[in-house]
Amino acid sequence: MAETQNAPENPEVNTAQDSGKREVPVEFRRQPYSFVRRGDRLTARRQKAWDTYAPTHVLDIPRTHADTSVAPEASFNPEELYGRSAYQVVEIGSGLGEAIVHRAAEVPEANFLAVEVYTPGIADLLLKMGQAGVENVRVAQANAPELLDNMLEENSVDELWVFFPDPWHKSRHHKRRLVSPDFASKVARVLKPGGIWRLATDWEEYALVMREVLDAHPDFENVHAGEGVTEEDPIGGWAPRWEGRTLTSFERKAREAGRNAHDLTYRRK
């Protein structure tokens, strides 16, 4: 679902070389970043959606060194952006927008923020949003760790999603994985006490890493700890598939490849 994060491991992450794609700034290589950068060319339908909805639904974020960076002076004011204060949901890596638009249509009384860098993905999200008549979604085209550090206030988010982040399969690339102790601390800062962090991945090894990271973090508790323990699964603690997470095209392809999603739900203490 988070297609930006689930893109194959690409050499353009570190070098632009002959691809014509923009190089990820050197600053992003010093810590996990929330994306693999891909081409930004839009189809006619996506361009029309961008031109129609981006001026009102894509946030104007102050930048520093890159077009996905978030300057320290960035701010997020729900009253200005949505015209109200409401239950705030943030999705890191919204991909083509399937999950967040679907849920926003189901829960119009909540505010939703999609965090994504891939321009065609954002345009597709805007297209879906317009087709569904959804008005409660805003989009931040930004590197997620910087957004958590510089834009969102402490204790300001009710629910945060990280669905199907890039697993970075090779051992030498594991340091690039988004879900890490440092990233968990960034999430803990913006979540309200009692706020929920929902995660999903179709790679079992990464799911176990997520468990290890979050079980050890002092600010989080597993909502389903101790549940579902069997002889086949002596650790249990996996969340049932959340009914609010629609089946996306990405997850459908993973199922067809024989990979089933592992869901996790953590609560900020």
Side-chain angles (χ1 to χ4, degrees):
M1 189 233 356
E3 270 79 359
T4 302
Q5 296 180 18
N6 279 283
E9 296 174 14
N10 278 323
E12 72 264 21
V13 170
N14 290 317
T15 64
Q17 293 187 349
D18 299 325
S19 66
K21 299 178 181 178
R22 282 173 286 181
E23 183 179 1
V24 171
V26 65
E27 289 84 355
F28 291 157
R29 300 179 208 157
R30 298 186 185 130
Q31 62 176 345
Y33 42 86
S34 62
F35 61 93
V36 174
R37 199 61 189 257
R38 299 187 287 181
D40 285 343
R41 185 173 300 173
L42 299 180
T43 63
R45 291 177 74 238
R46 285 174 169 175
Q47 186 65 59
K48 182 178 180 181
W50 184 276
D51 293 341
T52 301
Y53 298 108
T56 53
H57 290 75
V58 177
L59 306 189
D60 183 14
I61 299 174
R63 311 292 186 181
T64 53
H65 50 273
D67 60 1
T68 56
S69 62
V70 181
E73 64 269 22
S75 63
F76 183 80
N77 187 327
E79 290 284 357
E80 291 180 0
L81 296 173
Y82 302 92
R84 65 185 184 183
S85 292
Y87 189 90
Q88 184 68 57
V89 180
V90 176
E91 181 179 26
I92 303 297
S94 298
L96 300 178
E98 293 169 277
I100 198 164
V101 171
H102 177 86
R103 187 60 175 168
E106 288 186 332
V107 191
E109 64 272 18
N111 293 341
F112 291 81
L113 176 66
V115 182
E116 179 58 64
V117 298
Y118 182 45
T119 301
I122 294 174
D124 217 71
L125 184 158
L126 296 174
L127 178 62
K128 292 181 176 72
M129 185 190 72
Q131 291 172 337
V134 167
E135 292 292 339
N136 53 335
V137 175
R138 300 294 181 269
V139 184
Q141 189 167 22
N143 179 41
E146 287 185 88
L147 179 133
L148 295 177
D149 281 343
N150 297 336
M151 189 165 143
L152 296 181
E153 296 292 334
E154 185 176 357
N155 302 330
S156 64
V157 175
D158 295 280
E159 192 170 318
L160 187 138
W161 307 343
V162 175
F163 295 150
F164 305 100
D166 194 324
W168 292 106
H169 298 296
K170 297 178 182 178
S171 296
R172 68 176 183 273
H173 292 159
H174 284 180
K175 62 185 178 182
R176 296 177 179 168
R177 287 174 167 172
L178 185 66
V179 180
S180 66
D182 182 61
F183 184 75
S185 293
K186 296 176 189 295
V187 172
R189 188 189 75 84
V190 303
L191 273 181
K192 296 176 180 178
I196 295 296
W197 185 1
R198 302 187 189 278
L199 307 97
T201 178
D202 55 314
W203 294 96
E204 183 176 10
E205 186 268 339
Y206 194 12
L208 292 171
V209 169
M210 291 177 176
R211 284 285 301 269
E212 181 180 352
V213 167
L214 296 182
D215 285 349
H217 199 285
D219 291 332
F220 289 101
E221 59 184 358
N222 187 339
V223 172
H224 299 281
E227 297 179 12
V229 176
T230 64
E231 289 186 6
E232 294 76 18
D233 182 10
I235 62 172
W238 302 104
R241 193 183 194 288
W242 178 48
E243 69 279 1
R245 181 167 66 79
T246 189
L247 180 65
T248 65
S249 56
F250 178 86
E251 186 179 356
R252 190 175 298 109
K253 291 175 183 177
R255 285 185 177 185
E256 291 170 356
R259 301 191 308 273
N260 292 318
H262 293 73
D263 284 74
L264 290 165
T265 304
Y266 282 80
R267 180 185 294 112
R268 187 193 161 194
K269 295 179 182 178

